[in-house]
Amino acid sequence: MESIINKTPTKKLWNPKSFIIFSILFSFVPAGIMSSLNYGRCGNNKMKWIVLFSTILGFIGIITLTSFFSIDSSVIFIAINAGLGIYLSLAQRKLYKEHIENGGKNASYLMPIAVGILIFSVTAASVLYTIYIPKNALDYGKNHLFYTSNMQQSQAKQLGDYFRDEQYFTDNSEIDVKIDKQKDLYILSLVVEGDYENNQNYMAPMKAISRELSQNVFKNSKVRIDLCDDRFKVLKSINAD
């Protein structure tokens, strides 16, 4: 069978061994791009586009799926990327070997590193943007009660039902709250707008809610109220006296 590599190659290829390193550090996307370009530089345009589109669609699919995992998705994400990096590396081992044997050279890693840094930056920004928002939530119409892994669903439901029964949650309201627990302390996060965190007139009602929930929902355990932005980043914490 005729080799797909020109006997006097002029285009440089990336060493497939580097695909594993790039996949672990930056995700398999830079490795997939390098793999697809290697095929293209060897004249195999069909494989070039197959690998490129598979890389893009695969990355979107993995990001979507890991967002539904209740366990630490970072471990799964790293394992998947490492596995795909190994696969891409093995798939081009023969191709690269023939390229080197025919006098071919290695391609520069500036472009893959730039792509990797870009992907890492976008991913990090996305994580930081949603880091305070738990994946678990109970819906009461247009109202949403988020709860962390420190809370049992039954505990969160008890709080949500109380909000509904006491008309904090109504058919017309659109309220997002979050409940967390640290040892014996319950933390209720409320989304506020404007300058509420610096408004002293807002303190008394929040302390009243804290005492109310302590007595009626959390069996006299302490409840702290956190005033937050719309991503549940804490702006001010209020403890009942």
Side-chain angles (χ1 to χ4, degrees):
M1 180 180 295
E2 183 179 356
S3 173
I4 63 173
I5 298 180
N6 192 302
K7 293 302 181 181
T8 56
T10 58
K11 295 185 178 180
K12 300 177 181 180
L13 301 186
W14 286 283
N15 189 333
K17 290 182 179 179
S18 66
F19 296 173
I20 302 174
I21 298 174
F22 272 87
S23 295
I24 294 174
L25 293 179
F26 302 117
S27 86
F28 69 92
V29 174
I33 293 174
M34 287 188 287
S35 175
S36 68
L37 292 178
N38 276 356
Y39 281 122
R41 291 178 178 186
C42 292
N44 193 339
N45 286 321
K46 179 180 179 180
M47 282 300 299
K48 169 187 173 181
W49 293 113
I50 289 176
V51 173
L52 183 60
F53 283 119
S54 297
T55 297
I56 296 172
L57 295 176
F59 185 74
I60 294 173
I62 290 172
I63 291 295
T64 302
L65 288 175
T66 53
S67 66
F68 293 103
F69 293 152
S70 59
I71 60 176
D72 186 0
S73 59
S74 62
V75 176
I76 298 175
F77 190 72
I78 292 174
I80 291 175
N81 278 287
L84 289 174
I86 293 172
Y87 171 79
L88 291 169
S89 177
L90 293 176
Q92 285 201 345
R93 180 173 294 179
K94 181 179 179 181
L95 182 73
Y96 180 76
K97 181 180 179 181
E98 291 179 358
H99 173 75
I100 295 299
E101 289 176 349
N102 286 307
K105 303 296 183 180
N106 287 322
S108 169
Y109 286 99
L110 290 179
M111 185 274 287
I113 290 175
V115 172
I117 292 175
L118 176 62
I119 293 172
F120 178 82
S121 300
V122 172
T123 303
S126 176
V127 170
L128 290 175
Y129 186 68
T130 60
I131 192 171
Y132 301 107
I133 303 177
K135 297 178 181 178
N136 301 318
L138 297 174
D139 298 333
Y140 292 83
K142 295 182 180 180
N143 306 286
H144 308 289
L145 171 60
F146 296 90
Y147 61 97
T148 69
S149 57
N150 297 326
M151 296 287 298
Q152 297 179 3
Q153 185 182 44
S154 58
Q155 293 175 308
K157 187 176 185 303
Q158 185 178 3
L159 175 62
D161 291 348
Y162 181 82
F163 280 156
R164 179 197 59 201
D165 296 341
E166 295 298 317
Q167 297 297 299
Y168 288 106
F169 288 163
T170 68
D171 294 336
N172 297 321
S173 63
E174 298 182 18
I175 301 173
D176 289 342
V177 300
K178 182 181 79 171
I179 187 66
D180 189 14
K181 185 180 181 182
Q182 296 178 0
K183 295 184 179 180
D184 295 328
L185 174 67
Y186 289 90
I187 303 171
L188 178 68
S189 298
L190 303 177
V191 175
V192 297
E193 298 179 354
D195 197 34
Y196 283 111
E197 71 271 17
N198 295 318
N199 189 340
Q200 293 301 316
N201 295 328
Y202 206 59
M203 299 300 104
M206 293 298 100
K207 290 182 179 181
I209 292 176
S210 174
R211 289 189 289 267
E212 176 186 347
L213 295 178
S214 174
Q215 296 171 4
N216 299 327
V217 180
F218 297 120
K219 300 179 180 179
N220 294 318
S221 295
K222 291 183 178 180
V223 178
R224 189 181 80 202
I225 305 293
D226 283 349
L227 305 183
C228 307
D229 62 13
D230 60 354
R231 311 313 298 173
F232 288 118
K233 181 180 180 180
V234 178
L235 303 174
K236 187 178 184 66
S237 296
I238 303 172
N239 291 291
D241 297 332

